[in-house]
Amino acid sequence: MFVSSSRARLLDCCSSKFGDLGDLIERRPWLVILVSSLIAILFGMGAGGVNLETEGVYLWIPTTSETYTNFLSYNDAYQAGAKLNFLNFIIAAEDGGSILRKEILAQVVDLHHNVTVDFVSPKGESFQDHCFKSSVSLHGVSSPCSQTTFLQLFGYSDSGIPASESEILSEVNTANSVSSVASALGGLTYSDPSSTVISGASTMIMAYTLKNLKASQLDYETYIIKQTLPDKLKELYPDLTIQRLSSQAFDEEVKKLVVDDMPLFMGAIYIIIIFLALTFGPLTRAKNRVLLSFVALPQVILSLMFATGCQGFFGAKISTLNFLIGFILAGVGVDDMIVVEEFYARAKAKNSKSVMRDTLSEGGMAVFLTSFTAVVAFLVGAFVDLPAVRSFCVCAGLAFGFNFVMNVTFFPAFLFLDESRCCFPSCCSCCIGRAHEDKSTPNDNDDKEKDEVVVVEKPPSLVHSFFKNIICPALEIPAVQALVLLVTFGAAAGSLAYGLDIEVGLSVTEVVPDSSYAVTFFDTLEEKFTSQVKIMCYSAENIDYSSSSDVGKLTDLFDDIEAIDTVLGRVGRYGGHWLLHYQAYLTNNGKDPYTNFGESYTDFLESSTCNSMPCDVYAMDVIGTIESGELKSVDQARFFFEEVSLTETSEVWKVYTKLKSLQASHGLSGYYFIELFMYAENDSLMFMYLFRSLGVTLIAVAGAMFAFTDTASTIYITLCVMCIDCHLLGFARVWDTRLNSVLFTTFIMSVGLSVDYCVHIAHAYVHAEEKHDPTKRLKEALMSLGPAVFKGGFTTLLGVCLLSMASSSVFRMFFKMLFLTVIFGVLHGVISLPVFLCLHQKFFSPSSPEKGDKDFEERVKMEEDNKL
């Protein structure tokens, strides 16, 4: 009783405030429009502060995950906390032959020297100024950049390449016997099917990394990109076919995605405007509402400005997903415009003294409930541990919140002004589609005044007729109600069972336009480098290298790693690791590798005893304290090895867990790192994230609904939303969509969107004039807001359908899920939910009129009078 009375007081208070707002709009419509617009513009001024993030690691990886923590540790220790900028080349011979030929490799060496030495920007910056290299202060020696590529076998020089192809193959096979060269060479061929002797390779990959400590350093990367354009490379190296991809170029492709699909957003807006113009009234000269329909355009834009500006004031990072909010607002945001117009027409039909007050007293509450639950769903999603999802949900929550403000201020004010235009005596009567006023013909009846206002009911629309003649009569049949109950829960259970086997993962090519050369680059990478070799790193921590026991544990771990079937060669790859060479150096100089560990460390790095290579290539592998040329202590040290397995994240995660168990069995501390581990962990936890986040979101939305509606409505709305999510999971698998961070975002979004359709119908059912007969109450609720919900769902479909033509699969994934959300949301809102509420009243809370029920007594008396 206390909850019900508190809820009633809250609803009355809110209804009264919305009514006061309606009075203000009737008195000062232009003031309301000006204030709401200025608020959006003032907050929108901060939009320039947002930063578009395109790096997947900083968007789609949970910031509290174990592998992300490892990434930060690795990044801080070995890369000085810098964000990596990569520059990769896939090189093939123009004639289609093997790349392992003297004349071909000579041009590859020339390309390598151009990139690392000869390309100097107009500012005088070179590769050496921007690459990762050791320094005296951190590593004991200062050395040039050490970019380890396949050319290392030949000393990065033309003279180091043997003259004959057979000699080249001999060196390649020698290196391959120690550690696989498949990470650098693609399209490998062998002397015979059963042999491991390499006879040729069709492609080679060369990878370079540039550090990006500040924005000004992007200038050099931009210069490199211009120097390695396809046309220039073809001119310099006519015998080579070169594909190039850099991080900055990839970022530009991601941004190009937004630019390419922006016309779709504008197209969606104008399609919705046309639909609204047809919905609001006929397209005649005097009675059209085209100008009112165009209010949707500034309303969506101002809502986006407000949301983006709020984020910009805090310097928030956004992803390309945020640009999809425009499509969602274009479709969903205007639904409330239709609802407000429906309540306005209803107030006009009642010949209300204050039409706008009555409109917002009822319609404002209906719009508030749907907007409030949607905002709650999005803001709960803002606590998800995925940066891209957080950014999307915050922006969407702010946009939907301000869109509600516009729907109870900006749009009603224009609606009032448009009504004044239509009702101006020299123009016409009020537009069709609403009740309108007409001056009656004077007669001799003294009881009627000369200018009496006569209410003329608007003719029923096709949608109203559909609900009146088909939907309502069907749902009144008990057998149909039982069938709806059975089909709803049966289909939800079946969809959930089927959807649990959905594939998991997100491809990097899905976030760029389908026509992007980045797609071709990654397709070539996947096609030619079929062995899927991954260079993994083990970073050892808290090891006393002067202790034979600690080093023995480390050596035993390396032996176990090398024994794994999918690990190729030895830890340290074909060059060996730093500890192996350093111990050999100490031994060769008459020193004990344990007792004298740390001595002559900088002398070792300056020597050339590491497989006839400069030992300073290992300088960055050790992070510790160096004083007077001695290594006093080691904080972290890294060791590389190669592993080959399927790149499916489920398989990669199995490898990671196995490596972790080996480390634990030897009692060592440290971590394994490769970027793919982060995506593998993310995918392995995706179902847990999904169900946990959906559960929290549903609880939050249910709590928000409970504050404004009755318990039964809250329960059944929550059940409907749960069923919708089950359908989405099942149909996502049917529609060949994988579960990933993007799809996860759409599930969070679906709660906020699908609840709208249900809340409108529940609100109409609760506040229906009929209280005692559940069947009549169902019909009244559906006839009250069912058509508006149906038309609102249709406008949403119009807004998102153009996304089906988007230039990337990520945006098309959004289209699929939004399309399904609208379809199932409308179906559950206008069919399942009213049946649930009707059956609940029939079986769990049958009500009979109590004494003193004046409304009931008056209806009974009227019926008796009619019978007489």
Side-chain angles (χ1 to χ4, degrees):
M1 181 64 71
F2 174 76
V3 173
S4 299
S5 60
S6 298
R7 184 188 293 125
R9 288 195 298 270
L10 178 61
L11 290 174
D12 289 342
C13 178
C14 292
S15 181
S16 176
K17 295 299 182 184
F18 284 124
D20 294 342
L21 181 59
D23 287 337
L24 175 63
I25 289 173
E26 287 191 344
R27 295 194 308 269
R28 298 286 188 272
W30 284 112
L31 177 64
V32 173
I33 292 171
L34 180 63
V35 171
S36 57
S37 301
L38 283 178
I39 291 174
I41 293 171
L42 288 174
F43 279 92
M45 293 174 65
V50 298
N51 299 303
L52 179 62
E53 179 62 71
T54 56
E55 182 68 33
V57 172
Y58 299 103
L59 290 175
W60 307 115
I61 305 301
T63 54
T64 57
S65 65
E66 176 183 320
T67 52
Y68 186 79
T69 302
N70 295 344
F71 161 73
L72 294 180
S73 178
Y74 185 88
N75 194 39
D76 290 339
Y78 302 106
Q79 296 167 182
K83 175 182 174 180
L84 285 179
N85 287 313
F86 63 83
L87 177 64
N88 293 343
F89 298 92
I90 296 180
I91 306 168
E94 177 69 22
D95 59 11
S98 174
I99 200 169
L100 301 178
R101 291 175 286 171
K102 173 74 173 182
E103 63 275 15
I104 300 298
L105 289 176
Q107 292 192 33
V108 177
V109 168
D110 187 54
L111 170 63
H112 171 79
H113 280 289
N114 277 338
V115 172
T116 58
V117 178
D118 296 338
F119 287 159
V120 179
S121 74
K123 292 183 177 180
E125 298 172 314
S126 68
F127 185 83
Q128 296 294 325
D129 297 320
H130 291 274
C131 65
F132 289 96
K133 56 185 178 181
S134 59
S135 64
V136 174
S137 59
L138 294 177
H139 310 100
V141 295
S142 178
S143 63
C145 296
S146 57
Q147 298 291 320
T148 303
T149 70
F150 172 77
L151 298 176
Q152 177 182 346
L153 289 176
F154 313 114
Y156 300 100
S157 66
D158 188 356
S159 59
I161 304 173
S164 67
E165 185 174 352
S166 59
E167 292 178 290
I168 295 174
L169 289 172
S170 176
E171 290 200 26
V172 170
N173 280 290
T174 299
N176 190 59
S177 64
V178 178
S179 188
S180 175
V181 296
S183 59
L185 298 178
L188 291 171
T189 57
Y190 300 90
S191 56
D192 61 72
S194 60
S195 174
T196 59
V197 178
I198 297 172
S199 61
S202 62
T203 55
M204 176 192 303
I205 186 168
M206 293 201 303
Y208 303 94
T209 54
L210 298 171
K211 57 186 177 182
N212 174 26
L213 297 178
K214 52 187 178 181
S216 62
Q217 292 182 315
L218 287 175
D219 293 342
Y220 179 72
E221 188 182 352
T222 301
Y223 173 76
I224 286 286
I225 292 172
K226 292 180 179 178
Q227 295 300 313
T228 55
L229 293 173
D231 293 341
K232 285 193 175 184
L233 292 177
K234 195 61 185 175
E235 181 180 344
L236 292 172
Y237 312 106
D239 296 333
L240 302 181
T241 299
I242 304 173
Q243 296 182 56
R244 184 264 293 150
L245 186 67
S246 71
S247 55
Q248 188 174 343
F250 186 81
D251 290 352
E252 291 301 321
E253 290 299 295
V254 175
K255 295 175 184 177
K256 183 173 176 286
L257 173 68
V258 178
V259 175
D260 290 349
D261 290 335
M262 190 56 66
L264 297 180
F265 167 63
M266 299 306 301
I269 286 285
Y270 285 113
I271 289 175
I272 290 172
I273 288 173
I274 293 172
F275 177 76
L276 289 178
L278 295 173
T279 300
F280 287 161
L283 298 179
T284 60
R285 180 183 66 83
K287 299 181 180 180
N288 74 79
R289 277 183 158 177
V290 174
L291 292 178
L292 182 62
S293 303
F294 268 93
V295 173
L297 179 60
Q299 186 163 312
V300 170
I301 292 176
L302 289 173
S303 298
L304 285 174
M305 285 179 57
F306 175 84
T308 308
C310 288
Q311 288 188 298
F313 281 125
F314 295 96
K317 291 185 178 180
I318 64 172
S319 70
T320 53
L321 288 185
N322 287 49
F323 293 93
L324 291 171
I325 297 173
F327 285 94
I328 303 171
L329 271 182
V332 179
V334 298
D335 293 1
D336 292 335
M337 294 172 61
I338 296 175
V339 172
V340 170
E341 197 275 340
E342 186 76 21
F343 277 99
Y344 189 86
R346 194 178 303 174
K348 287 288 294 181
K350 293 179 180 178
N351 199 19
S352 173
K353 294 181 180 179
S354 179
V355 177
M356 192 56 69
R357 181 179 185 86
D358 289 350
T359 297
L360 292 186
S361 292
E362 298 183 42
M365 277 305 302
V367 171
F368 170 75
L369 287 176
T370 58
S371 300
F372 182 65
T373 51
V375 170
V376 167
F378 282 121
L379 293 185
V380 171
F383 292 95
V384 173
D385 189 27
L386 290 169
V389 178
R390 282 203 303 267
S391 172
F392 175 87
C393 288
V394 169
C395 189
L398 291 171
F400 270 72
F402 194 76
N403 188 68
F404 158 72
V405 174
M406 301 293 277
N407 273 319
V408 295
T409 56
F410 192 81
F411 175 70
F414 273 107
L415 178 61
F416 177 78
L417 293 171
D418 186 75
E419 182 73 11
S420 301
R421 175 188 69 83
C422 288
C423 294
F424 195 75
S426 64
C427 178
C428 65
S429 299
C430 290
C431 297
I432 199 166
R434 302 161 292 170
H436 65 274
E437 297 175 355
D438 190 14
K439 298 201 175 173
S440 61
T441 303
N443 53 42
D444 297 333
N445 190 343
D446 295 333
D447 295 333
K448 292 187 178 181
E449 298 178 358
K450 182 178 179 180
D451 292 333
E452 179 184 6
V453 174
V454 179
V455 177
V456 180
E457 296 292 339
K458 63 179 179 180
S461 66
L462 182 62
V463 178
H464 280 80
S465 299
F466 176 69
F467 272 83
K468 181 178 180 180
N469 301 323
I470 298 178
I471 297 294
C472 292
L475 294 183
E476 291 173 357
I477 303 173
V480 174
Q481 293 179 348
L483 181 63
V484 168
L485 194 67
L486 180 64
V487 170
T488 298
F489 291 110
S495 297
L496 177 62
Y498 183 74
L500 289 175
D501 288 332
I502 190 173
E503 293 185 6
V504 180
L506 177 67
S507 171
V508 67
T509 57
E510 292 179 315
V511 299
V512 294
D514 296 337
S515 59
S516 171
Y517 62 85
V519 175
T520 306
F521 182 92
F522 285 108
D523 286 346
T524 303
L525 194 64
E526 184 175 353
E527 175 189 355
K528 296 298 183 180
F529 294 83
T530 53
S531 59
Q532 309 294 337
V533 175
K534 297 174 283 294
I535 302 176
M536 298 182 177
C537 170
Y538 173 62
S539 180
E541 297 177 337
N542 303 321
I543 292 181
D544 182 3
Y545 290 93
S546 63
S547 168
S548 59
S549 175
D550 279 10
V551 174
K553 291 179 181 180
L554 191 63
T555 303
D556 291 341
L557 173 62
F558 292 165
D559 291 339
D560 288 343
I561 291 175
E562 292 166 2
I564 298 175
D565 294 338
T566 56
V567 172
L568 302 178
R570 62 179 180 176
V571 174
R573 306 174 68 204
Y574 50 78
H577 53 74
W578 69 271
L579 182 59
L580 181 70
H581 290 294
Y582 182 45
Q583 287 182 327
Y585 177 84
L586 292 174
T587 301
N588 292 336
N589 284 275
K591 298 181 179 180
D592 184 83
Y594 300 109
T595 305
N596 303 113
F597 183 84
E599 295 181 10
S600 306
Y601 179 67
T602 55
D603 292 338
F604 156 71
L605 294 177
E606 292 171 346
S607 68
S608 299
T609 59
C610 302
N611 285 346
S612 301
M613 294 189 309
C615 293
D616 58 12
V617 297
Y618 296 111
M620 295 182 64
D621 291 346
V622 179
I623 306 299
T625 303
I626 302 174
E627 295 179 2
S628 302
E630 293 190 8
L631 183 59
K632 297 294 186 180
S633 63
V634 178
D635 299 325
Q636 293 187 58
R638 61 183 179 181
F639 304 86
F640 295 98
F641 59 93
E642 295 178 339
E643 191 273 341
V644 55
S645 63
L646 296 176
T647 53
E648 294 179 1
T649 54
S650 58
E651 296 298 321
V652 172
W653 189 243
K654 290 178 183 178
V655 173
Y656 179 79
T657 54
K658 187 170 186 177
L659 290 171
K660 283 282 294 180
S661 65
L662 289 177
Q663 175 189 328
S665 66
H666 291 285
L668 295 173
S669 60
Y671 56 88
Y672 297 92
F673 174 74
I674 185 175
E675 192 169 301
L676 193 55
F677 282 156
M678 291 185 285
Y679 295 97
E681 182 181 17
N682 187 29
D683 289 347
S684 70
L685 300 174
M686 190 53 63
F687 274 106
M688 186 270 288
Y689 285 140
L690 177 65
F691 292 123
R692 183 181 66 185
S693 298
L694 284 179
V696 173
T697 305
L698 283 170
I699 292 173
V701 169
M705 289 187 295
F706 183 75
F708 294 96
T709 187
D710 64 310
T711 305
S713 297
T714 300
I715 293 173
Y716 292 118
I717 291 173
T718 305
L719 282 175
C720 284
V721 175
M722 290 173 63
C723 289
I724 292 170
D725 285 330
C726 291
H727 296 324
L728 292 181
L729 185 61
F731 276 82
R733 184 185 173 195
V734 171
W735 215 333
D736 194 27
T737 303
R738 292 178 295 173
L739 178 61
N740 49 49
S741 301
V742 177
L743 196 68
F744 172 79
T745 308
T746 65
F747 272 98
I748 299 297
M749 176 189 64
S750 71
V751 176
L753 301 186
S754 60
V755 75
D756 285 10
Y757 307 107
C758 298
V759 168
H760 278 309
I761 299 299
H763 182 264
Y765 190 91
V766 170
H767 295 279
E769 292 183 4
E770 174 60 53
K771 300 294 184 184
H772 307 291
D773 188 333
T775 303
K776 292 181 179 179
R777 196 176 184 184
L778 177 149
K779 182 177 180 179
E780 182 182 341
L782 283 179
M783 290 307 301
S784 174
L785 280 181
V789 169
F790 189 86
K791 288 186 289 186
F794 188 73
T795 59
T796 303
L797 287 181
L798 290 177
V800 302
C801 273
L802 288 182
L803 272 178
S804 63
M805 298 184 291
S807 59
S808 82
S809 57
V810 163
F811 282 12
R812 292 194 296 272
M813 189 185 305
F814 254 79
F815 156 72
K816 294 176 182 179
M817 300 306 292
L818 280 171
F819 180 85
L820 293 173
T821 298
V822 173
I823 294 297
F824 290 121
V826 172
L827 287 176
H828 281 275
V830 302
I831 295 178
S832 301
L833 180 63
V835 169
F836 292 166
L837 293 173
C838 180
L839 292 176
H840 175 86
Q841 185 172 351
K842 282 182 179 180
F843 296 105
F844 298 103
S845 59
S847 58
S848 58
E850 300 177 359
K851 282 188 177 183
D853 190 334
K854 295 182 180 180
D855 292 337
F856 175 76
E857 292 174 355
E858 290 177 1
R859 287 198 301 271
V860 171
K861 185 177 180 181
M862 290 176 61
E863 291 176 1
E864 291 176 350
D865 291 341
N866 291 334
K867 290 179 182 179
L868 295 175

